[in-house]
Amino acid sequence: AKADGNSALCFYARDFTRGSSRRLQLESALCQALEAGQLLLHYQPKFSLEDGALAGAEVLLRWQHPTLGAVSPAEFIPIAEETGLILPIGAWVLRQSCRQLAGWQRRGLRMVPLAVNLSARQFALPTLAGDIRAMLREAGVGPRWLQLELTESLLVRQPEAASRTLEQLRAAGIQLALDDFGTGYSSLNYLRRFPITQLKIDQSFVRELLHDKDSSTIAVAIINLAHGLGMQVVAEGVETMAQLEFLRRHDCDQVQGYLSGRPQPAAQFERLLAGPQLP
Ligand code: C2E
Ligand code: CA
Ligand code: CA
Ligand code: CA
């Protein structure tokens, strides 16, 4: 079914490709990326600061094009969102993630939750919660192994519909994380209204943690806010031991970043399921 919507779009894009901008080139190439098998998933580990154990992973999409090379998601995700290609691509990411979990389960590896990024277009689908439940059921994977990462902007746009979708997802047992927290249009009121289970401190605060008093104040405030509301808190973009120590001292629950592990292919990530811990 997904192919139909795609090919109309691809046809449209193709007409404009010759001698066109990189933007149009990418748009056209992205149409074929899914079916040509050019998309793959990387997994970036999250570690618990309390005991140093692997706590989960964020699923990050990668696109390897035969001539354009590796295209960054920062570049192609916005194009996928504008063209609507994010719908078939996003559904693929969700299904693949469920299958990956099923594979680990079948092989008896240690299970950790996978966190999948959702875009506004996907979130606007009234069938989202049902679709995800069906994917989990098909894969034979429990809902507690799936987390969804949402941004604040996504909730602000249509708070009524958002609230309904989030309630359905939570009722299904799926975890909900608020991504890039502190950078968006945060109305703290949303934290009360929506059944969020985890806050992710944006990397921009983590980067300045030891250099800028305001950033560290905000980071600590987010940690306390999350805990006060019964949520977990994850710091992203942790690159130095000093940042990690600061976060541990202030009771942050989990860290994610280049210090403890880059986004990596499944085969490499699986070695982490077997054991090593944070320094
Ligand atoms: P994000 O959700 O905020 O993901 C975190 C980004 O920070 C990732 O960039 C990750 O590779 C990068 N990162 C992780 N640790 C560090 C660190 O220590 N230092 C620095 N400087 N960066 C770090 P990436 O993989 O390039 O993804 C960029 C954005 O693309 C993501 O930001 C997310 O918004 C979007 N994205 C990626 N995969 C998907 C997807 O499957 N679906 C949707 N809708 N969006 C996706
Ligand atoms: Ca994310
Ligand atoms: Ca983020
Ligand atoms: Ca971001």
Side-chain angles (χ1 to χ4, degrees):
K2 66 171 197 275
D4 296 29
N6 266 3
S7 42
L9 224 149
C10 289
F11 180 76
Y12 171 81
R14 212 177 298 131
D15 288 348
F16 297 89
T17 321
R18 224 169 310 141
S20 69
S21 65
R22 174 168 171 88
R23 155 80 209 211
L24 283 171
Q25 254 175 23
L26 288 177
E27 201 171 300
S28 167
L30 193 54
C31 280
Q32 276 102 45
L34 192 53
E35 296 187 15
Q38 295 162 3
L39 299 181
L40 70 157
L41 301 181
H42 276 189
Y43 301 85
Q44 185 176 31
K46 302 182 192 178
F47 289 91
S48 159
L49 280 173
E50 199 185 358
D51 58 5
L54 182 72
E58 177 171 4
V59 176
L60 292 158
L61 190 55
R62 294 293 178 259
W63 179 17
Q64 187 66 44
H65 188 271
T67 56
L68 297 165
V71 185
S72 158
E75 191 175 17
F76 76 80
I77 293 284
I79 297 176
E81 283 172 347
E82 282 163 42
T83 55
L85 283 167
I86 196 66
L87 291 179
I89 291 175
W92 179 82
V93 172
L94 281 163
R95 184 165 288 112
Q96 276 302 113
S97 300
C98 292
R99 287 185 180 156
Q100 187 59 258
L101 285 163
W104 291 334
Q105 193 168 260
R106 196 178 51 242
R107 290 157 55 200
L109 295 176
R110 183 152 90 79
M111 294 291 281
V112 291
L114 287 183
V116 173
N117 291 285
L118 272 196
S119 87
R121 291 267 196 132
Q122 287 175 281
F123 196 69
L125 292 174
T127 56
L128 181 72
D131 292 346
I132 294 178
R133 270 207 312 264
M135 288 180 198
L136 285 165
R137 204 179 319 118
E138 252 168 60
V141 167
R144 68 197 174 108
W145 302 117
L146 189 65
Q147 289 181 346
L148 300 175
E149 295 196 1
L150 320 158
T151 57
E152 297 162 68
S153 57
L154 196 142
L155 305 180
V156 178
R157 219 169 298 170
Q158 281 191 305
E160 302 301 317
S163 177
R164 217 172 309 129
T165 303
L166 291 181
E167 293 296 345
Q168 290 169 349
L169 291 165
R170 268 312 288 149
I174 293 160
Q175 313 259 3
L176 304 170
L178 210 45
D179 204 356
D180 303 342
F181 190 74
T183 59
Y185 318 70
S186 337
S187 157
L188 296 178
N189 194 34
Y190 287 120
L191 293 183
R192 207 173 47 166
R193 279 182 54 188
F194 296 132
I196 302 294
T197 52
Q198 195 177 70
L199 295 185
K200 295 191 79 176
I201 305 174
D202 189 66
Q203 359 190 318
S204 59
F205 300 112
V206 175
R207 196 178 313 123
E208 298 301 322
L209 215 47
L210 292 119
H211 313 293
D212 173 36
K213 185 74 177 67
D214 292 347
S215 295
S216 58
T217 300
I218 292 171
V220 171
I222 295 175
I223 295 169
N224 292 328
L225 177 67
H227 288 163
L229 293 168
M231 300 171 188
Q232 287 219 311
V233 59
V234 184
E236 56 180 6
V238 177
E239 293 182 350
T240 69
M241 206 52 212
Q243 292 165 344
L244 183 139
E245 294 298 358
F246 180 99
L247 291 160
R248 179 153 34 207
R249 211 163 49 240
H250 288 90
D251 238 11
C252 183
D253 298 297
Q254 295 175 19
V255 288
Q256 174 184 352
Y258 295 166
L259 176 71
S260 49
R262 300 220 165 217
Q264 49 199 276
Q268 196 181 332
F269 178 75
E270 284 166 9
R271 283 184 235 139
L272 295 178
L273 294 172
Q277 304 213 326
L278 262 191

